[in-house]
Each structure stands twice: as C-alpha cells, then as structure tokens.
Amino acid sequence: MDLRFTDEELAFRREVRAFLRESLPPEIHRKLAEGCRLGKADLVRWTCILHARGWAVPHWPVEWGGVDWDPVRQMIFRDEVQQFPAPETLSFGTSMVGPVIYTFGSDAQKRRFLPRIATLEDWWCQGFSEPGAGSDLAALKTRATRDGAQWVINGQKAWTTLAQHADWIFVLARTDGSARKQQGISFILIDMTSPGISVRPVQTIDGGFEVNEVFFDDVRVPLENLVGAENRGWDYAKFLLTNERSGQARIGLSKARLRRIRALASTPRNGAPVLIEDPVFRRKLAELEVEVRALELTQFRVIADERHKEQGRPNPASSILKIKGSELQQATTELLMDVLGPAGLVRHAESGPAAFDWARGGTSTYFNLRKLSIYGGSNEIQRTIIARAILGL
Amino acid sequence: MNFDLSEDQRLLKDSVGRWLARSYAFEHRARILASPEGWSRATWAQMAELGLLGLPFAEADGGFAGGPVETMIVMEAFGHALVVEPYLPTVVLAGAVLRHGASAEQRRRLVPLITDGSLVLALAHGEPQARWHTADIATRAVEAAGGWRLSGAKSLVLHGESADRLIVSARTGGAPRDPNGIGLFLVDRKAPGVVVHGYPTQDGQRAAEIGFQDVRVPAEDVLGDVANGLPVVEHAIDEAIAAIAAEAVGAMEAALGMTVNYLKTRTQFGVPIGSFQALQHRAADMFIALEQARSMAFLAVMSAADDDGARRRRAMSAAKIQTAKSARFIGQEAIQLHGGIGMTMEYKVGHLFKRLTMIERQFGDLDHHFGCLAAAGSLLDDA
C-alpha cells in the first residue's frame, strides 16, 4: 500500500501544468476562473491548441489520436486541467460518441468521424432524453423507419445540451416497436443540417442557453449512419453512460472552486473584516475540504483498481463518484455564494454594476450546477443502482 | 499509488479474521464483558501466540516489524468483532510512546514483555480539565533524589485498572497548556500513591480515573526528554487515530452488512422491506458513508509515519472528521433500519452503534478536529 505518486508521475503533473500555463489563452483562463460561460469559438480554439500538442483525446486508442498514458496519468491530466482551470474538451464528442464509434462503429465511420471529433471540426450533441423518457430512458418514442437506402426519423429530443452549436447529433431511436422496450432501439448519427430538424433553445434558471428541444420531422438519414447492429443501441448507450464513470466526480473543479473561495474570503473589501477570520466560515470551508479529500482518495482507489482491469468488474466505489462528485460541486457553489454576500444578488448578464465584478459568475454557477444531480442518471437512480447492484437489495 | 496488501499482509488479514470468527462470537464476547475484569486474559494470550502483540515493534526490540498497515488490518478485524481487550492502550498507544520516546535499553526491557502478553500498559495522559486539548497537563513532576515525584489526576485512562504499568505525562516546567515542559514517566500501577478507580465506558470497554500522590519514579523509568514529551504523545495519539479509524471501518462494515441482511429477510406488508425504495436509498447512503470513511482511514494509516508533524496532524484531523461523520450516520441508520430489535442489548448491531459512538469522540470529537483543521490552513495542497 502506498498513496504517494511516483517521481515520474509528479514530473508528468508538472509537465501538464507548465503546458497549460504556456498555452492557455489568458482570456479563456479568466472566463473559466470566474465561472463564466465559454463561447463556441473559445472551445474550438483551445481544442486546436490541445490537438497540436497531441493531447486533445488522450484517453482514446493511440491509432485514433490517443496517448499511451496509464489510468493514473489520465487522471492526473484531467485533474490538472480542471484545477488550472482550463477547458475540458466537448464531452459529447470526445467522451461519448467517440468511444462508441471506435468501439462499435464501422471502419468507414471511424475514418470519417473520429479525426473531426478530436479537432472539434464537428460539434456533437446527444439525442437521448425525450419529454416522456428521462430516468426511464428506454421509454423513448423517437422512431427510425427504413425507406429504401435511408432511415426516416420522426420524434422529439429534450435537454439536448449545446445543440445550437452542433453539426451532428447521435440519437437513440426506436427501430422495432414490437420488441421489449430496451431491445428495439438503434444508435444513429444524424447531420444537424438535414432538412426536417428544428432546434428550440430553452433558457435555464441561471439565465443561460445551454439546453434545447430538437424536433425531427421526416428527417432522412443514410442507412450507413447506423452504428453497430440494428436494435442493439441500448447496449451502446449503456456502454456510453458507464464508460467514463471515474471522470464524473470532476474533483479538480471542486478543488479550484475551493481555492477561489479561500482567496476571495481572504481579500479585504470595502474595509470590512475578511471572512476567512470568521470561525463559522472556516469550519464550513474545512468541512468541504475534508469531503474533497475523501472523494479524491475514493477516486484513487477506483483508478488504482483500473490497473487490475482483467477482472473486468467495476470497483463498487466507482458508483459513489457521480453522487458525491455532483453533491460536492453543488456544495462548493453554495459556499461561493456565501462569500459573495450581497454582491451575489446582482445579475451580471447585461448591466451588472462594475463594483460587483469580483462576484461575477458565482450565483449563476450555483443555479446552473443544480443540473449535476439530475443528468447522467439522476442521483436517485444512482442510489438505486448501488442498492441493487452492490448491496443486492 | 496502490492499495494492494502484500502477501504477508493478506495472510495476517486472513488469520486474524479466521481466528475471531472462530473464537470471538457475539455470545462469547457477552460473557467476557460480564467477567470481573471485563476482558479476557485467555484471548490476550491467543493474541500473543498469533504475534499480534509484538506487531508494530522493531525486530531488534523483540517485535515483528509491522507498520501502520498491519495495525490497520488488526484493528479493522477488531472493529468487526468488537474486541474489548486492551490492544489500543498497550500495543498502539503505549507502544507508540515506547517506539518514539523510549531509549533502546528501555525498549529492549519492555517490548519482549508486551510481545509475550505478560505486560499490559496504559497511557495516562488526559486530565479532567483538558477535554481534548493535548497540552493541557496539570499533573506535576518534581525532581527528587535520583528520580522524580508525580502528583496530579488523570482521567479516562483506557484500561487503566488492568494495566501493569502506566505511561504518565506530567509537567516538569511551563504554564498550563504550554506544549513545552511535559515529561513522560513509566509508573507501576501498584506503586505507593497511585489510586485507581476503574469503571466501564458506554461501549463495554474499561477506563479509569487515576490519582497520583507524590508517586516516586526512578530515573531509569523516565521516557525521553523530560521537557519535550508532548510530540511523542501527539504522535502516539495520531497513530491511535489511524488505528480507530480502521476499527471504525470494521464496525461500520459489520453494521451495514447486518442491516442489508435484515432488509433482505425482514418481511412486512407481505414483502421483504428491502424492496422499498425509501429504505434502499438509505442503505445506499450508508454504503457511500462507509467507502468515504474507508478512503480516509487509508489516508490516516499512510500518514501515521509521516515525520512532518503539521501535515500528519492535518491528515489525522481530516480522517477523524470523516470517521466521526460516517460512524454517526451509519450507526444511527443501522438502528433505525433494524427497528425495535436494533434497540436491544441482545442484538449485536446496538453494540456496534455504541462502539462507533465512542470512536466518534475518542482522541477528539468533530468540533475539536474541525477547530484544528480550520486553524491549520488548507488541506488541498497536502495531496
């Protein structure tokens, strides 16, 4: 047993940090550090910089642009990116559809899509949820029917994140209405410029535009855009949802936010005593730091276990990462609001007074991150998974 | 970074687990608790035979050269079985004081006696006024012809009435709460002037209030520097925190296991109550609390030998906080999900809850360690 990183791993951490310091454009860094939203151009620019360094998709197979890092290095890389903070690549491409394509897709699909995902030439979005299919995803109703050399898609997707920027969408659609509900679903790649697709943005409680409704009205898609086998889409979706379990905790983001909280609480403002001297506040900060440390160690256990992958069974501890990781991110935004005090009441979108600029992004991040315990399998669904799969209830 | 046990460590885990399953059943423990001493000398002798009592000591001193991981393995198994023998005071606490504070000659004299089971020790450090403040020592040591004389009172000394000898902290100089000026003295429990009042604690273990009235200590029983004993005691307490964090993991695992089993077998409204989602989610939260505590117990264990005292104490406070929170949550939930049977002394889960409640407070409760951590700066850069 040894919890220390090796000298080589520590050197790797320094190498990643030095790269971020040299390469991340300062205006992108500032936006992220202040919890503000990045534009599409920001993410495209940063993805190109990462790609030039060979680090856009390090977790992919080497032949498709991945880097031959072991699980510990993959984790260190993510942790440094999140802590810096630097942008993470667009997960819908790099962590969701990318791995599905290189695992289940045809050679033609791999050659056509993977390089453009890695460089963000193609912006992908995820067409899974529907108005009637949330936690019960397999209840989805969007249909794909065969007509000659094409699929004809009809239906509606909901909560489609950043669809307004998307070039492509990967969709779960029903291809066999007579089968059991998980068994008649297929995984289909659809060009967002296809006639019959319309996108309606939905404003969320943080004031931002992130999610959309996507409507499909007789959208025609070439048959070759089916991934893998017809009616096997549910298996690919499950693969996708459990593929990056250990990445879901995003502990680096919570660490970065706690550091920002400590810095803000230590900064004198308007002659008032600094909050960091308040024992109640310090206790709240200490409480979250302990939780972050505990979750980080739990993540280390999961990662260390990935090295024994031949057993093929996910470490039970990995199911904790989604629940605790999302709860912690939410708790850190609550504490951030506590630091902001009255300044947290100001909305900054258009006309916030400059005197409150230091508080920018805090409260809207709090509103925005309520989503974390809802998406990716709600935390209630996760608890049911623990109860059934681990405890055997 | 790896969490794997070595081959020898796996063997230790298996042998301790098998031995306790065979010879420390809940009913047997109940008989031990009801005995006059409240613990079993026969069990103690078996621990000596298994090599557990000499585990953390160097081979040169007569021990078996184990480290914090070996202690963790033993304590986790003890937590499962709710072992009440004086392992924590003798081997963990007093053992650590001897390893960090005693001379080579003293270690060679004492360690073989611990290892073979013939010497039970206790650390007499806490005092009635001190709460959890480790430097709050009022017991005085005054130099006298060829030795020292101790006067004062010690409180909640674990297994103080069974110990053959006591390691007593006493002030040789400095004001109350001054971290300097504290010495450590080895005192025979039956020495003239030592008055011991033993009693049970809430979890069925034993402790004692001990008075010292002008008790003579010969020079050869002074442990280390008479003015600088506190860092030794604090290191011993840090090792004990790691040990009880592991013990808590064992007890929490047992409590969760019993609870899940109960949910599967208890039938109401015609179905097992574990089919109710309200209860499933509570069990899932118990599992999460257990795994978070396990992670922090690993941190405590791996930090126990850290020579950077400030970083070591931050890790211990953090681990103690997580342990306390998880222990309270799992203990309370285990009782609630068991319903009435959880409230009885006839059933093990209540005893697990009682031990977990003691561990929550031993060596500093939640408030104390939050205070330590809040004063110590950020934990984030220790990783």
Side-chain angles (χ1 to χ4, degrees):
Chain A
M1 247 180 107
D2 191 349
L3 300 193
R4 287 167 306 181
F5 291 104
T6 64
D7 289 343
E8 294 76 28
E9 286 162 352
L10 292 173
F12 174 71
R13 192 182 273 283
R14 286 192 297 273
E15 183 190 352
V16 174
R17 199 173 294 179
F19 163 74
L20 296 173
R21 203 176 295 124
E22 285 158 20
S23 313
L24 181 64
E27 55 276 24
I28 296 181
H29 187 207
R30 199 182 50 246
K31 280 189 197 174
L32 274 181
E34 291 176 356
C36 297
R37 193 178 300 277
L38 293 185
K40 178 174 182 176
D42 293 325
L43 195 55
V44 171
R45 185 178 170 199
W46 174 238
T47 305
C48 288
I49 295 170
L50 277 174
H51 186 255
R53 181 70 178 79
W55 288 354
V57 284
H59 54 294
W60 283 16
V62 172
E63 62 167 318
W64 297 112
V67 188
D68 194 15
W69 293 334
D70 68 2
V72 175
R73 278 178 172 72
Q74 300 283 0
M75 179 205 68
I76 290 173
F77 179 74
R78 281 199 304 269
D79 190 53
E80 282 301 316
V81 167
Q82 290 167 1
Q83 281 198 67
F84 191 75
E88 295 176 86
T89 55
L90 187 72
S91 61
F92 308 107
T94 59
S95 297
M96 295 185 184
V97 74
V100 168
I101 290 173
Y102 67 64
T103 308
F104 304 107
S106 67
D107 285 343
Q109 286 169 341
K110 292 177 198 175
R111 281 193 303 274
R112 177 176 176 193
F113 292 113
L114 292 176
R116 298 175 61 86
I117 292 172
T119 53
L120 201 50
E121 280 162 277
D122 287 341
W123 185 293
W124 283 82
C125 63
Q126 179 188 33
F128 276 21
S129 295
E130 296 183 4
S135 290
D136 183 13
L137 182 59
L140 59 90
K141 290 199 170 70
T142 295
R143 273 176 302 112
T145 41
R146 219 184 254 267
D147 180 23
Q150 291 174 321
W151 300 105
V152 180
I153 315 285
N154 279 287
Q156 178 189 348
K157 293 293 175 180
W159 316 122
T160 314
T161 301
L162 300 180
Q164 70 267 35
H165 300 324
D167 305 299
W168 285 83
I169 182 168
F170 54 95
V171 163
L172 290 182
R174 193 160 298 287
T175 38
D176 180 357
S178 64
R180 244 189 75 226
K181 66 179 184 178
Q182 283 89 355
Q183 282 164 359
I185 294 171
S186 295
F187 195 108
I188 299 173
L189 313 176
I190 304 176
D191 184 339
M192 285 293 281
T193 61
S194 312
I197 293 183
S198 53
V199 175
R200 187 183 84 84
V202 179
Q203 191 174 26
T204 43
I205 51 176
D206 57 313
F209 287 92
E210 214 172 59
V211 293
N212 301 270
E213 292 178 302
V214 180
F215 300 89
F216 299 85
D217 183 13
D218 282 334
V219 176
R220 305 188 80 85
V221 181
L223 285 184
E224 75 230 32
N225 285 15
L226 173 77
V227 174
E230 190 175 342
N231 297 327
R232 293 289 304 278
W234 186 252
D235 295 338
Y236 312 145
K238 274 199 303 189
F239 164 86
L240 180 154
L241 290 169
T242 52
N243 197 29
E244 247 239 316
R245 293 177 100 171
S246 60
Q248 287 186 322
R250 301 178 92 198
I251 295 160
L253 294 182
S254 291
K255 286 197 277 190
R257 194 170 295 116
L258 286 176
R259 289 205 178 89
R260 181 176 176 215
I261 288 167
R262 188 178 280 277
L264 286 173
S266 308
T267 308
R269 236 176 283 279
N270 306 325
V274 289
L275 204 51
I276 198 74
E277 301 300 335
D278 174 0
V280 176
F281 175 79
R282 285 171 80 108
R283 173 164 176 158
K284 289 198 284 190
L285 184 55
E287 189 149 15
L288 290 181
E289 286 191 355
V290 171
E291 295 234 19
V292 163
R293 195 80 179 93
L295 190 63
E296 186 171 40
L297 284 153
T298 300
Q299 176 166 263
F300 287 173
R301 289 168 56 202
V302 173
I303 302 272
D305 217 51
E306 278 178 28
R307 287 190 285 204
H308 308 287
K309 238 184 181 153
E310 61 277 6
Q311 297 147 1
R313 219 163 50 93
N315 186 319
S318 65
S319 50
I320 295 168
L321 298 177
K322 161 74 185 6
I323 294 176
K324 290 304 282 185
S326 57
E327 287 177 354
L328 254 178
Q329 289 186 70
Q330 293 174 337
T332 53
T333 59
E334 286 175 39
L335 190 60
L336 178 56
M337 279 203 301
D338 292 349
V339 180
L340 303 184
L345 302 179
V346 178
R347 192 176 136 203
H348 288 275
E350 304 94 18
S351 57
F356 295 117
D357 266 0
W358 66 278
R360 190 176 284 277
T363 303
S364 25
T365 305
Y366 164 73
F367 286 130
N368 183 268
L369 292 196
R370 302 311 303 168
K371 70 189 176 188
L372 298 181
S373 46
I374 300 170
Y375 73 30
S378 73
N379 287 13
E380 288 70 27
I381 292 288
Q382 302 295 336
R383 285 185 169 85
T384 300
I385 291 172
I386 290 177
R388 294 200 182 148
I390 297 172
L391 302 179
L393 291 171
Chain B
M1 197 177 66
N2 80 83
F3 295 84
D4 303 333
L5 299 180
S6 69
E7 187 56 34
D8 284 349
Q9 289 165 344
R10 269 200 300 277
L11 286 173
L12 174 68
K13 189 179 166 80
D14 290 348
S15 69
V16 176
R18 267 201 313 275
W19 166 61
L20 288 172
R22 199 172 56 236
S23 53
Y24 214 87
F26 178 63
E27 299 71 24
H28 182 65
R29 175 182 179 269
R31 284 194 294 278
I32 292 175
L33 286 184
S35 69
E37 259 194 320
W39 60 281
S40 160
R41 299 247 169 210
T43 300
W44 194 248
Q46 289 172 336
M47 287 184 188
E49 268 171 49
L50 283 165
L52 304 185
L53 301 182
L55 210 48
F57 301 103
E59 281 175 359
D61 297 330
F64 304 118
V69 176
E70 281 75 11
T71 301
M72 172 191 83
I73 290 166
V74 171
M75 291 301 292
E76 193 177 323
F78 285 5
H80 252 277
L82 287 172
V83 167
V84 296
E85 279 61 33
Y87 194 84
L88 185 69
T90 301
V91 179
V92 179
L93 276 167
V97 169
L98 294 181
R99 285 189 290 111
H100 300 304
S103 68
E105 185 279 318
Q106 288 166 328
R107 292 199 304 273
R108 275 197 297 275
R109 177 153 56 92
L110 296 167
V111 170
L113 301 176
I114 296 174
T115 301
D116 73 14
S118 56
L119 180 65
V120 173
L121 293 174
L123 177 64
H125 179 66
E127 300 193 355
Q129 79 289 351
R131 280 185 77 89
W132 312 115
H133 199 297
T134 51
D136 193 343
I137 297 303
T139 297
R140 310 237 28 130
V142 183
E143 207 158 5
W148 295 78
R149 289 188 172 274
L150 306 190
S151 295
K154 294 292 178 178
S155 187
L156 265 158
V157 178
L158 295 177
H159 283 281
E161 62 182 343
S162 299
D164 303 298
R165 308 196 77 182
L166 307 165
I167 293 174
V168 185
S169 56
R171 197 162 277 293
T172 56
R177 297 201 162 201
D178 185 345
N180 298 305
I182 294 170
L184 298 171
F185 304 88
L186 196 58
V187 177
D188 199 299
R189 198 241 312 159
K190 291 180 177 149
V194 177
V195 181
V196 180
H197 172 212
Y199 49 84
T201 48
Q202 288 282 357
D203 53 357
Q205 301 209 10
R206 304 285 302 183
E209 301 299 289
I210 305 183
F212 300 87
Q213 288 148 14
D214 212 21
V215 176
R216 198 183 156 273
V217 182
E220 72 260 26
D221 285 340
V222 175
L223 298 168
D225 180 348
V226 288
N228 202 22
L230 188 64
V232 174
V233 172
E234 287 183 336
H235 202 159
I237 288 174
D238 285 347
E239 291 186 17
I241 287 174
I244 62 169
E247 184 187 358
V249 166
M252 287 187 276
E253 199 171 63
L256 175 60
M258 290 184 77
T259 303
V260 168
N261 198 41
Y262 188 77
L263 293 178
K264 286 176 185 169
T265 50
R266 169 73 173 167
T267 303
Q268 289 287 273
F269 308 104
V271 291
I273 60 174
S275 63
F276 301 136
Q277 194 176 53
L279 305 190
Q280 289 180 354
H281 284 193
R282 292 174 76 157
D285 283 332
M286 291 170 76
F287 171 77
I288 293 171
L290 167 63
E291 293 305 322
Q292 294 289 79
R294 194 192 304 276
S295 292
M296 288 306 262
F298 286 141
L299 176 68
V301 167
M302 300 316 289
S303 302
D306 191 339
D307 289 327
D308 180 339
R311 185 173 59 197
R312 189 182 70 231
R313 271 189 294 281
R314 276 198 298 275
M316 293 306 167
S317 285
K320 192 65 182 31
I321 286 166
Q322 182 65 57
T323 301
K325 287 167 73 175
S326 292
R328 185 181 295 190
F329 178 74
I330 289 174
Q332 290 178 352
E333 290 293 275
I335 301 299
Q336 177 67 22
L337 296 191
H338 271 89
I341 190 69
M343 290 297 297
T344 72
M345 291 291 279
E346 296 169 14
Y347 196 66
K348 185 178 173 182
V349 81
H351 294 259
L352 289 164
F353 178 43
K354 285 153 77 75
R355 178 62 192 141
L356 286 170
T357 304
M358 298 301 103
I359 290 178
E360 213 189 285
R361 278 135 217 293
Q362 269 182 318
F363 310 116
D365 60 11
L366 213 49
D367 292 336
H368 172 77
H369 283 289
F370 268 127
C372 296
L373 209 52
S378 177
L379 189 64
L380 295 182
D381 298 316
D382 288 346

